[in-house]
Amino acid sequence: MNFALKFFLVSALAILLGACATDTRDVPAEPEPQPQEPSEPSEPVEVDRVNPVDFADSRNLDNPESTLSQREIYFEFDRSDVRAEYLPIIRAHAQYLKANPSARMLLEGHADERGSREYNLGLGERRGNSVLDLMQAEGASASQIEVVSYGEERPVCRQSSESCWERNRRVEIVYTAR
Amino acid sequence: MFSKEKLISYLATTAISLWLAASGPASAQLQIEIVDGVEGALPVAVVPFDFGNAEMQPETSMHEVIAADLQRSGLFDPLPVSDMIDRPTRPPEISFGTWRLLEVDYVAMGRWIPGSDGVSGEIEYHLVAVNSGRTLFSRAIAAGPGAFRLRAHQIADAIYEELAGAPGAFASRIAYVRVAGAGTEDEQFELIVADSDGHNPQTVVRHSQPIMSPAWGPEGRRLAYVTFATGRSNIVIQDIFTGQREIVSESRGINGAPAFSPDGRMLAMSLSRSGNSEIWVRTLESGRMERLTDHWAIDTEPAWSRDGRRIFFTSDRAGRPQIYQVRRDGTGIERVTNEGAYNSRVSVDPYSGLLAMVHGGQANFRIAVLDRESGRLRVLSPGRMDESPSFAPNGRMVLYAAREGERGVLAAVSVDGRFRQRLVLADGDVREPAWSPLIQ
């Protein structure tokens, strides 16, 4: 592929994605293809480049360089307090909700398989509520957020090992409206 | 074979429920294997029941069902039919000498007595003690197409009660959740009801979203369970014979852990509609709701005491999950368990009031039984991830869920911990067993 054609395609894709991002707010299921980073810093595409720390910009929800693309918060066994390392993620999403009042979020709480199922359902909800409280403290409105617990019923990893359990003890941030 | 119409009219007239109004037979049956046997099981013989040349032949081999039941209890060691020298059908036909030579202590036998229509009739059955020569009982029970298996379980219960001194629990069912295709796009959750021996599994409900926490009504025909069919947890009560369903709780947050009161008129639940999980009681007829707990902790897994005056539940109000009790009016909250870092998910023994629970810590979760009178806690299961204990209606066995690698199996253990069996499905994952009351 010659350079001119490549340049044209990248620009066209970027414009297309820009248009998509504003028109498809309600379709969160399919992750959009990532805008390609131009290899040369002087490319005019940069005019349309997403600022990864602009947490009001919905394009950052799918931008791997932005904290907004991070949607999982992990917990210790039988604990529901949020570790400090996850606060930036919560702040970013809280800012997004604040800037986008029509956005709606589901906080899906999960637990690992240890212990009884109904207790774990409670634990998943408590984890979701911990994240909800922090989102509210960061200025998001409770009316934009719903907590749903799946307890241990929806693991992402199925071996009985600590490395697996720690991936299952989580809250997943799911946008039902962007 | 009989026509379907004839069968239905037979069932209607005799009021024997053939089977569930369900979405059809489940794909695979639980296979029961005995893991730890008991030394000194009683040697018994169950002679093939005599159906002669009767037009009516049972759809099931009654003596095999009876012998398998007795063996599964861990208390009996049935003699193989191939070792039997003669086949008496009534006590006068017994030659005691041969049974003594075979070292059999008790002989059970029976025969079919057809009624005038040739379809229904009676099974006459007897139990004889070989050493004394005494007939311990001679009884008859009505039967007909579709009912022989249940009658066989009931005869096994009669033998068990006579020889073990406590009611049997073979004429009962188990409900459990099966997960097929776990972790794949096609993951399916099924609530299944089968006979206590795993026979005749029937799917009560199937969904791609989780199904949890089946609980029996005291009459053995209603099942309460949690479904995520809407993406949120809801509590449903379903009649397993008519298939009729009713959503009894769909409030904001968790709707979980249903438990019928002993009189069947109320349902205890764990709901988080007030902000976090609390124990609630719903009066089913009026819909009246009462909240029994009010605490920031997780309060869940309610289980009624036998007299219905108290409710046991799991709470982490002291930091980690422990068992508490509360009076039916919400007063008198009291901690029940003190031994161990983690105790949850009580099942109350309907016979003597023992409490079975998940007992553990960081590494192991096992089934333990607490005798509140002596304060003694006995660990019954050897697993690392054992959960969901459920007492047999006679209190002699506890059914529970265990993990083997990445799949779930069911297991049952006697309350003295001496006898254990596995209930394994050829494929798929099984969990959350609930043992029904006796079928009358």
Side-chain angles (χ1 to χ4, degrees), chain B residues 148-180:
Chain B
F148 288 103
R149 230 188 144 85
L150 173 60
R151 294 306 184 226
H153 290 310
Q154 289 170 328
I155 293 168
D157 281 336
I159 296 167
Y160 184 99
E161 180 158 13
E162 185 67 31
L163 300 180
F170 306 119
S172 60
R173 299 191 173 102
I174 53 174
Y176 54 94
V177 175
R178 172 175 185 255
V179 185

PDB file of all heavy atoms in Angstrom, chain B residues 148-180:
ATOM      1  N   PHE B 148     -45.675 -47.446  40.378  1.00  0.00           N
ATOM      2  CA  PHE B 148     -44.919 -48.543  41.005  1.00  0.00           C
ATOM      3  C   PHE B 148     -43.602 -48.083  41.606  1.00  0.00           C
ATOM      4  O   PHE B 148     -43.176 -48.583  42.645  1.00  0.00           O
ATOM      5  CB  PHE B 148     -44.688 -49.668  39.992  1.00  0.00           C
ATOM      6  CG  PHE B 148     -45.952 -50.428  39.696  1.00  0.00           C
ATOM      7  CD1 PHE B 148     -46.647 -50.200  38.523  1.00  0.00           C
ATOM      8  CD2 PHE B 148     -46.452 -51.340  40.607  1.00  0.00           C
ATOM      9  CE1 PHE B 148     -47.821 -50.887  38.262  1.00  0.00           C
ATOM     10  CE2 PHE B 148     -47.629 -52.029  40.350  1.00  0.00           C
ATOM     11  CZ  PHE B 148     -48.316 -51.802  39.172  1.00  0.00           C
ATOM     12  N   ARG B 149     -42.973 -47.148  40.959  1.00  0.00           N
ATOM     13  CA  ARG B 149     -41.696 -46.677  41.495  1.00  0.00           C
ATOM     14  C   ARG B 149     -41.884 -45.976  42.837  1.00  0.00           C
ATOM     15  O   ARG B 149     -41.149 -46.230  43.796  1.00  0.00           O
ATOM     16  CB  ARG B 149     -41.044 -45.721  40.482  1.00  0.00           C
ATOM     17  CG  ARG B 149     -39.642 -46.084  40.206  1.00  0.00           C
ATOM     18  CD  ARG B 149     -38.871 -45.129  39.379  1.00  0.00           C
ATOM     19  NE  ARG B 149     -37.525 -45.152  39.927  1.00  0.00           N
ATOM     20  CZ  ARG B 149     -36.615 -46.057  39.575  1.00  0.00           C
ATOM     21  NH1 ARG B 149     -36.869 -46.954  38.656  1.00  0.00           N
ATOM     22  NH2 ARG B 149     -35.438 -46.046  40.163  1.00  0.00           N
ATOM     23  N   LEU B 150     -42.880 -45.100  42.884  1.00  0.00           N
ATOM     24  CA  LEU B 150     -43.167 -44.420  44.148  1.00  0.00           C
ATOM     25  C   LEU B 150     -43.542 -45.446  45.221  1.00  0.00           C
ATOM     26  O   LEU B 150     -43.091 -45.357  46.365  1.00  0.00           O
ATOM     27  CB  LEU B 150     -44.298 -43.405  43.953  1.00  0.00           C
ATOM     28  CG  LEU B 150     -44.815 -42.728  45.234  1.00  0.00           C
ATOM     29  CD1 LEU B 150     -43.701 -41.959  45.939  1.00  0.00           C
ATOM     30  CD2 LEU B 150     -45.982 -41.781  44.911  1.00  0.00           C
ATOM     31  N   ARG B 151     -44.373 -46.441  44.834  1.00  0.00           N
ATOM     32  CA  ARG B 151     -44.757 -47.466  45.816  1.00  0.00           C
ATOM     33  C   ARG B 151     -43.535 -48.245  46.306  1.00  0.00           C
ATOM     34  O   ARG B 151     -43.436 -48.577  47.487  1.00  0.00           O
ATOM     35  CB  ARG B 151     -45.781 -48.427  45.204  1.00  0.00           C
ATOM     36  CG  ARG B 151     -47.119 -47.784  44.887  1.00  0.00           C
ATOM     37  CD  ARG B 151     -47.688 -47.095  46.106  1.00  0.00           C
ATOM     38  NE  ARG B 151     -49.013 -46.553  45.883  1.00  0.00           N
ATOM     39  CZ  ARG B 151     -49.388 -45.346  46.254  1.00  0.00           C
ATOM     40  NH1 ARG B 151     -48.537 -44.532  46.871  1.00  0.00           N
ATOM     41  NH2 ARG B 151     -50.634 -44.944  46.042  1.00  0.00           N
ATOM     42  N   ALA B 152     -42.610 -48.524  45.400  1.00  0.00           N
ATOM     43  CA  ALA B 152     -41.385 -49.230  45.806  1.00  0.00           C
ATOM     44  C   ALA B 152     -40.614 -48.400  46.834  1.00  0.00           C
ATOM     45  O   ALA B 152     -40.143 -48.929  47.854  1.00  0.00           O
ATOM     46  CB  ALA B 152     -40.517 -49.522  44.582  1.00  0.00           C
ATOM     47  N   HIS B 153     -40.513 -47.087  46.585  1.00  0.00           N
ATOM     48  CA  HIS B 153     -39.810 -46.216  47.553  1.00  0.00           C
ATOM     49  C   HIS B 153     -40.545 -46.215  48.897  1.00  0.00           C
ATOM     50  O   HIS B 153     -39.924 -46.218  49.961  1.00  0.00           O
ATOM     51  CB  HIS B 153     -39.715 -44.785  47.023  1.00  0.00           C
ATOM     52  CG  HIS B 153     -38.771 -44.619  45.863  1.00  0.00           C
ATOM     53  ND1 HIS B 153     -37.476 -45.095  45.871  1.00  0.00           N
ATOM     54  CD2 HIS B 153     -38.931 -44.022  44.653  1.00  0.00           C
ATOM     55  CE1 HIS B 153     -36.880 -44.791  44.730  1.00  0.00           C
ATOM     56  NE2 HIS B 153     -37.744 -44.149  43.966  1.00  0.00           N
ATOM     57  N   GLN B 154     -41.881 -46.221  48.839  1.00  0.00           N
ATOM     58  CA  GLN B 154     -42.645 -46.199  50.095  1.00  0.00           C
ATOM     59  C   GLN B 154     -42.489 -47.519  50.857  1.00  0.00           C
ATOM     60  O   GLN B 154     -42.459 -47.529  52.091  1.00  0.00           O
ATOM     61  CB  GLN B 154     -44.107 -45.871  49.801  1.00  0.00           C
ATOM     62  CG  GLN B 154     -44.254 -44.398  49.386  1.00  0.00           C
ATOM     63  CD  GLN B 154     -45.628 -44.035  48.851  1.00  0.00           C
ATOM     64  OE1 GLN B 154     -46.304 -44.861  48.233  1.00  0.00           O
ATOM     65  NE2 GLN B 154     -46.046 -42.795  49.076  1.00  0.00           N
ATOM     66  N   ILE B 155     -42.405 -48.636  50.120  1.00  0.00           N
ATOM     67  CA  ILE B 155     -42.175 -49.925  50.784  1.00  0.00           C
ATOM     68  C   ILE B 155     -40.768 -49.938  51.405  1.00  0.00           C
ATOM     69  O   ILE B 155     -40.569 -50.404  52.534  1.00  0.00           O
ATOM     70  CB  ILE B 155     -42.388 -51.083  49.786  1.00  0.00           C
ATOM     71  CG1 ILE B 155     -43.877 -51.152  49.398  1.00  0.00           C
ATOM     72  CG2 ILE B 155     -41.908 -52.415  50.378  1.00  0.00           C
ATOM     73  CD1 ILE B 155     -44.188 -52.058  48.216  1.00  0.00           C
ATOM     74  N   ALA B 156     -39.806 -49.390  50.678  1.00  0.00           N
ATOM     75  CA  ALA B 156     -38.448 -49.275  51.249  1.00  0.00           C
ATOM     76  C   ALA B 156     -38.477 -48.424  52.515  1.00  0.00           C
ATOM     77  O   ALA B 156     -37.799 -48.736  53.504  1.00  0.00           O
ATOM     78  CB  ALA B 156     -37.492 -48.683  50.220  1.00  0.00           C
ATOM     79  N   ASP B 157     -39.275 -47.362  52.502  1.00  0.00           N
ATOM     80  CA  ASP B 157     -39.407 -46.524  53.705  1.00  0.00           C
ATOM     81  C   ASP B 157     -40.000 -47.316  54.867  1.00  0.00           C
ATOM     82  O   ASP B 157     -39.573 -47.164  56.021  1.00  0.00           O
ATOM     83  CB  ASP B 157     -40.304 -45.305  53.417  1.00  0.00           C
ATOM     84  CG  ASP B 157     -39.553 -44.199  52.675  1.00  0.00           C
ATOM     85  OD1 ASP B 157     -38.311 -44.155  52.782  1.00  0.00           O
ATOM     86  OD2 ASP B 157     -40.209 -43.397  52.005  1.00  0.00           O
ATOM     87  N   ALA B 158     -40.981 -48.160  54.560  1.00  0.00           N
ATOM     88  CA  ALA B 158     -41.601 -48.968  55.620  1.00  0.00           C
ATOM     89  C   ALA B 158     -40.590 -49.941  56.226  1.00  0.00           C
ATOM     90  O   ALA B 158     -40.528 -50.112  57.453  1.00  0.00           O
ATOM     91  CB  ALA B 158     -42.801 -49.732  55.049  1.00  0.00           C
ATOM     92  N   ILE B 159     -39.771 -50.560  55.351  1.00  0.00           N
ATOM     93  CA  ILE B 159     -38.748 -51.498  55.837  1.00  0.00           C
ATOM     94  C   ILE B 159     -37.711 -50.748  56.680  1.00  0.00           C
ATOM     95  O   ILE B 159     -37.317 -51.177  57.766  1.00  0.00           O
ATOM     96  CB  ILE B 159     -38.065 -52.209  54.639  1.00  0.00           C
ATOM     97  CG1 ILE B 159     -39.091 -53.075  53.896  1.00  0.00           C
ATOM     98  CG2 ILE B 159     -36.872 -53.036  55.106  1.00  0.00           C
ATOM     99  CD1 ILE B 159     -38.612 -53.570  52.528  1.00  0.00           C
ATOM    100  N   TYR B 160     -37.303 -49.583  56.174  1.00  0.00           N
ATOM    101  CA  TYR B 160     -36.318 -48.769  56.887  1.00  0.00           C
ATOM    102  C   TYR B 160     -36.845 -48.408  58.274  1.00  0.00           C
ATOM    103  O   TYR B 160     -36.148 -48.555  59.278  1.00  0.00           O
ATOM    104  CB  TYR B 160     -36.024 -47.507  56.070  1.00  0.00           C
ATOM    105  CG  TYR B 160     -34.951 -46.617  56.649  1.00  0.00           C
ATOM    106  CD1 TYR B 160     -33.647 -46.664  56.167  1.00  0.00           C
ATOM    107  CD2 TYR B 160     -35.241 -45.708  57.674  1.00  0.00           C
ATOM    108  CE1 TYR B 160     -32.659 -45.843  56.692  1.00  0.00           C
ATOM    109  CE2 TYR B 160     -34.258 -44.884  58.213  1.00  0.00           C
ATOM    110  CZ  TYR B 160     -32.969 -44.958  57.711  1.00  0.00           C
ATOM    111  OH  TYR B 160     -31.994 -44.150  58.234  1.00  0.00           O
ATOM    112  N   GLU B 161     -38.085 -47.946  58.311  1.00  0.00           N
ATOM    113  CA  GLU B 161     -38.653 -47.505  59.582  1.00  0.00           C
ATOM    114  C   GLU B 161     -38.740 -48.665  60.575  1.00  0.00           C
ATOM    115  O   GLU B 161     -38.435 -48.513  61.754  1.00  0.00           O
ATOM    116  CB  GLU B 161     -40.036 -46.889  59.370  1.00  0.00           C
ATOM    117  CG  GLU B 161     -40.668 -46.407  60.682  1.00  0.00           C
ATOM    118  CD  GLU B 161     -41.740 -45.359  60.487  1.00  0.00           C
ATOM    119  OE1 GLU B 161     -42.190 -45.170  59.335  1.00  0.00           O
ATOM    120  OE2 GLU B 161     -42.120 -44.720  61.487  1.00  0.00           O
ATOM    121  N   GLU B 162     -39.128 -49.836  60.070  1.00  0.00           N
ATOM    122  CA  GLU B 162     -39.256 -51.005  60.942  1.00  0.00           C
ATOM    123  C   GLU B 162     -37.894 -51.417  61.520  1.00  0.00           C
ATOM    124  O   GLU B 162     -37.779 -51.729  62.704  1.00  0.00           O
ATOM    125  CB  GLU B 162     -39.851 -52.173  60.137  1.00  0.00           C
ATOM    126  CG  GLU B 162     -40.139 -53.420  60.960  1.00  0.00           C
ATOM    127  CD  GLU B 162     -41.263 -53.218  61.971  1.00  0.00           C
ATOM    128  OE1 GLU B 162     -42.177 -52.413  61.682  1.00  0.00           O
ATOM    129  OE2 GLU B 162     -41.202 -53.837  63.055  1.00  0.00           O
ATOM    130  N   LEU B 163     -36.868 -51.369  60.699  1.00  0.00           N
ATOM    131  CA  LEU B 163     -35.571 -51.899  61.127  1.00  0.00           C
ATOM    132  C   LEU B 163     -34.624 -50.837  61.675  1.00  0.00           C
ATOM    133  O   LEU B 163     -33.759 -51.138  62.489  1.00  0.00           O
ATOM    134  CB  LEU B 163     -34.897 -52.633  59.959  1.00  0.00           C
ATOM    135  CG  LEU B 163     -35.693 -53.827  59.410  1.00  0.00           C
ATOM    136  CD1 LEU B 163     -34.930 -54.481  58.260  1.00  0.00           C
ATOM    137  CD2 LEU B 163     -35.985 -54.855  60.517  1.00  0.00           C
ATOM    138  N   ALA B 164     -34.771 -49.595  61.226  1.00  0.00           N
ATOM    139  CA  ALA B 164     -33.852 -48.551  61.686  1.00  0.00           C
ATOM    140  C   ALA B 164     -34.461 -47.700  62.794  1.00  0.00           C
ATOM    141  O   ALA B 164     -33.771 -46.884  63.399  1.00  0.00           O
ATOM    142  CB  ALA B 164     -33.428 -47.660  60.512  1.00  0.00           C
ATOM    143  N   GLY B 165     -35.758 -47.859  63.012  1.00  0.00           N
ATOM    144  CA  GLY B 165     -36.385 -47.139  64.113  1.00  0.00           C
ATOM    145  C   GLY B 165     -36.624 -45.664  63.854  1.00  0.00           C
ATOM    146  O   GLY B 165     -36.863 -44.899  64.781  1.00  0.00           O
ATOM    147  N   ALA B 166     -36.532 -45.250  62.600  1.00  0.00           N
ATOM    148  CA  ALA B 166     -36.814 -43.862  62.235  1.00  0.00           C
ATOM    149  C   ALA B 166     -37.412 -43.891  60.837  1.00  0.00           C
ATOM    150  O   ALA B 166     -37.141 -44.811  60.074  1.00  0.00           O
ATOM    151  CB  ALA B 166     -35.534 -43.031  62.244  1.00  0.00           C
ATOM    152  N   PRO B 167     -38.226 -42.892  60.492  1.00  0.00           N
ATOM    153  CA  PRO B 167     -38.848 -42.919  59.168  1.00  0.00           C
ATOM    154  C   PRO B 167     -37.810 -42.954  58.056  1.00  0.00           C
ATOM    155  O   PRO B 167     -36.702 -42.435  58.211  1.00  0.00           O
ATOM    156  CB  PRO B 167     -39.628 -41.597  59.118  1.00  0.00           C
ATOM    157  CG  PRO B 167     -39.726 -41.126  60.509  1.00  0.00           C
ATOM    158  CD  PRO B 167     -38.589 -41.703  61.262  1.00  0.00           C
ATOM    159  N   GLY B 168     -38.177 -43.548  56.948  1.00  0.00           N
ATOM    160  CA  GLY B 168     -37.318 -43.513  55.770  1.00  0.00           C
ATOM    161  C   GLY B 168     -37.504 -42.207  55.030  1.00  0.00           C
ATOM    162  O   GLY B 168     -38.327 -41.369  55.417  1.00  0.00           O
ATOM    163  N   ALA B 169     -36.731 -42.022  53.958  1.00  0.00           N
ATOM    164  CA  ALA B 169     -36.847 -40.783  53.178  1.00  0.00           C
ATOM    165  C   ALA B 169     -36.726 -41.080  51.686  1.00  0.00           C
ATOM    166  O   ALA B 169     -36.371 -40.213  50.915  1.00  0.00           O
ATOM    167  CB  ALA B 169     -35.761 -39.799  53.607  1.00  0.00           C
ATOM    168  N   PHE B 170     -37.047 -42.335  51.316  1.00  0.00           N
ATOM    169  CA  PHE B 170     -36.848 -42.691  49.906  1.00  0.00           C
ATOM    170  C   PHE B 170     -37.957 -42.131  49.029  1.00  0.00           C
ATOM    171  O   PHE B 170     -37.714 -41.786  47.878  1.00  0.00           O
ATOM    172  CB  PHE B 170     -36.767 -44.210  49.752  1.00  0.00           C
ATOM    173  CG  PHE B 170     -35.727 -44.829  50.629  1.00  0.00           C
ATOM    174  CD1 PHE B 170     -36.070 -45.761  51.607  1.00  0.00           C
ATOM    175  CD2 PHE B 170     -34.394 -44.469  50.494  1.00  0.00           C
ATOM    176  CE1 PHE B 170     -35.100 -46.328  52.416  1.00  0.00           C
ATOM    177  CE2 PHE B 170     -33.420 -45.030  51.312  1.00  0.00           C
ATOM    178  CZ  PHE B 170     -33.780 -45.967  52.278  1.00  0.00           C
ATOM    179  N   ALA B 171     -39.179 -42.065  49.558  1.00  0.00           N
ATOM    180  CA  ALA B 171     -40.298 -41.534  48.769  1.00  0.00           C
ATOM    181  C   ALA B 171     -40.252 -40.003  48.837  1.00  0.00           C
ATOM    182  O   ALA B 171     -41.067 -39.355  49.473  1.00  0.00           O
ATOM    183  CB  ALA B 171     -41.620 -42.064  49.288  1.00  0.00           C
ATOM    184  N   SER B 172     -39.253 -39.453  48.220  1.00  0.00           N
ATOM    185  CA  SER B 172     -39.064 -38.002  48.249  1.00  0.00           C
ATOM    186  C   SER B 172     -38.353 -37.609  46.967  1.00  0.00           C
ATOM    187  O   SER B 172     -37.948 -38.467  46.183  1.00  0.00           O
ATOM    188  CB  SER B 172     -38.228 -37.600  49.477  1.00  0.00           C
ATOM    189  OG  SER B 172     -36.968 -38.223  49.423  1.00  0.00           O
ATOM    190  N   ARG B 173     -38.206 -36.325  46.779  1.00  0.00           N
ATOM    191  CA  ARG B 173     -37.560 -35.849  45.560  1.00  0.00           C
ATOM    192  C   ARG B 173     -36.403 -34.939  45.910  1.00  0.00           C
ATOM    193  O   ARG B 173     -36.295 -34.454  47.035  1.00  0.00           O
ATOM    194  CB  ARG B 173     -38.560 -35.096  44.687  1.00  0.00           C
ATOM    195  CG  ARG B 173     -39.719 -35.957  44.235  1.00  0.00           C
ATOM    196  CD  ARG B 173     -40.550 -35.276  43.150  1.00  0.00           C
ATOM    197  NE  ARG B 173     -41.534 -36.214  42.647  1.00  0.00           N
ATOM    198  CZ  ARG B 173     -42.828 -36.214  42.991  1.00  0.00           C
ATOM    199  NH1 ARG B 173     -43.297 -35.298  43.825  1.00  0.00           N
ATOM    200  NH2 ARG B 173     -43.640 -37.123  42.510  1.00  0.00           N
ATOM    201  N   ILE B 174     -35.572 -34.721  44.931  1.00  0.00           N
ATOM    202  CA  ILE B 174     -34.542 -33.699  45.099  1.00  0.00           C
ATOM    203  C   ILE B 174     -34.655 -32.701  43.945  1.00  0.00           C
ATOM    204  O   ILE B 174     -34.950 -33.081  42.810  1.00  0.00           O
ATOM    205  CB  ILE B 174     -33.113 -34.281  45.172  1.00  0.00           C
ATOM    206  CG1 ILE B 174     -32.811 -35.182  43.982  1.00  0.00           C
ATOM    207  CG2 ILE B 174     -32.927 -35.068  46.475  1.00  0.00           C
ATOM    208  CD1 ILE B 174     -31.373 -35.664  43.943  1.00  0.00           C
ATOM    209  N   ALA B 175     -34.463 -31.445  44.294  1.00  0.00           N
ATOM    210  CA  ALA B 175     -34.376 -30.404  43.268  1.00  0.00           C
ATOM    211  C   ALA B 175     -32.921 -29.970  43.221  1.00  0.00           C
ATOM    212  O   ALA B 175     -32.224 -30.008  44.238  1.00  0.00           O
ATOM    213  CB  ALA B 175     -35.269 -29.219  43.641  1.00  0.00           C
ATOM    214  N   TYR B 176     -32.446 -29.624  42.052  1.00  0.00           N
ATOM    215  CA  TYR B 176     -31.076 -29.126  41.948  1.00  0.00           C
ATOM    216  C   TYR B 176     -30.951 -28.271  40.700  1.00  0.00           C
ATOM    217  O   TYR B 176     -31.813 -28.302  39.818  1.00  0.00           O
ATOM    218  CB  TYR B 176     -30.045 -30.265  41.938  1.00  0.00           C
ATOM    219  CG  TYR B 176     -30.272 -31.343  40.897  1.00  0.00           C
ATOM    220  CD1 TYR B 176     -29.653 -31.297  39.653  1.00  0.00           C
ATOM    221  CD2 TYR B 176     -31.120 -32.414  41.172  1.00  0.00           C
ATOM    222  CE1 TYR B 176     -29.863 -32.290  38.708  1.00  0.00           C
ATOM    223  CE2 TYR B 176     -31.341 -33.410  40.231  1.00  0.00           C
ATOM    224  CZ  TYR B 176     -30.710 -33.347  39.002  1.00  0.00           C
ATOM    225  OH  TYR B 176     -30.932 -34.329  38.062  1.00  0.00           O
ATOM    226  N   VAL B 177     -29.877 -27.508  40.630  1.00  0.00           N
ATOM    227  CA  VAL B 177     -29.623 -26.656  39.476  1.00  0.00           C
ATOM    228  C   VAL B 177     -28.519 -27.299  38.650  1.00  0.00           C
ATOM    229  O   VAL B 177     -27.479 -27.694  39.188  1.00  0.00           O
ATOM    230  CB  VAL B 177     -29.205 -25.229  39.912  1.00  0.00           C
ATOM    231  CG1 VAL B 177     -28.835 -24.385  38.699  1.00  0.00           C
ATOM    232  CG2 VAL B 177     -30.330 -24.566  40.705  1.00  0.00           C
ATOM    233  N   ARG B 178     -28.776 -27.435  37.367  1.00  0.00           N
ATOM    234  CA  ARG B 178     -27.760 -27.960  36.466  1.00  0.00           C
ATOM    235  C   ARG B 178     -27.329 -26.840  35.533  1.00  0.00           C
ATOM    236  O   ARG B 178     -28.161 -26.084  35.034  1.00  0.00           O
ATOM    237  CB  ARG B 178     -28.340 -29.116  35.648  1.00  0.00           C
ATOM    238  CG  ARG B 178     -27.429 -29.600  34.542  1.00  0.00           C
ATOM    239  CD  ARG B 178     -28.020 -30.828  33.863  1.00  0.00           C
ATOM    240  NE  ARG B 178     -27.086 -31.349  32.900  1.00  0.00           N
ATOM    241  CZ  ARG B 178     -27.226 -31.205  31.566  1.00  0.00           C
ATOM    242  NH1 ARG B 178     -28.257 -30.586  31.072  1.00  0.00           N
ATOM    243  NH2 ARG B 178     -26.321 -31.697  30.754  1.00  0.00           N
ATOM    244  N   VAL B 179     -26.030 -26.749  35.306  1.00  0.00           N
ATOM    245  CA  VAL B 179     -25.517 -25.759  34.362  1.00  0.00           C
ATOM    246  C   VAL B 179     -24.860 -26.510  33.223  1.00  0.00           C
ATOM    247  O   VAL B 179     -23.974 -27.344  33.443  1.00  0.00           O
ATOM    248  CB  VAL B 179     -24.492 -24.810  35.028  1.00  0.00           C
ATOM    249  CG1 VAL B 179     -24.081 -23.721  34.054  1.00  0.00           C
ATOM    250  CG2 VAL B 179     -25.086 -24.197  36.278  1.00  0.00           C
ATOM    251  N   ALA B 180     -25.329 -26.268  32.019  1.00  0.00           N
ATOM    252  CA  ALA B 180     -24.732 -26.886  30.833  1.00  0.00           C
ATOM    253  C   ALA B 180     -23.970 -25.814  30.074  1.00  0.00           C
ATOM    254  O   ALA B 180     -24.381 -24.658  30.036  1.00  0.00           O
ATOM    255  CB  ALA B 180     -25.822 -27.490  29.957  1.00  0.00           C
TER     256      ALA B 180
END
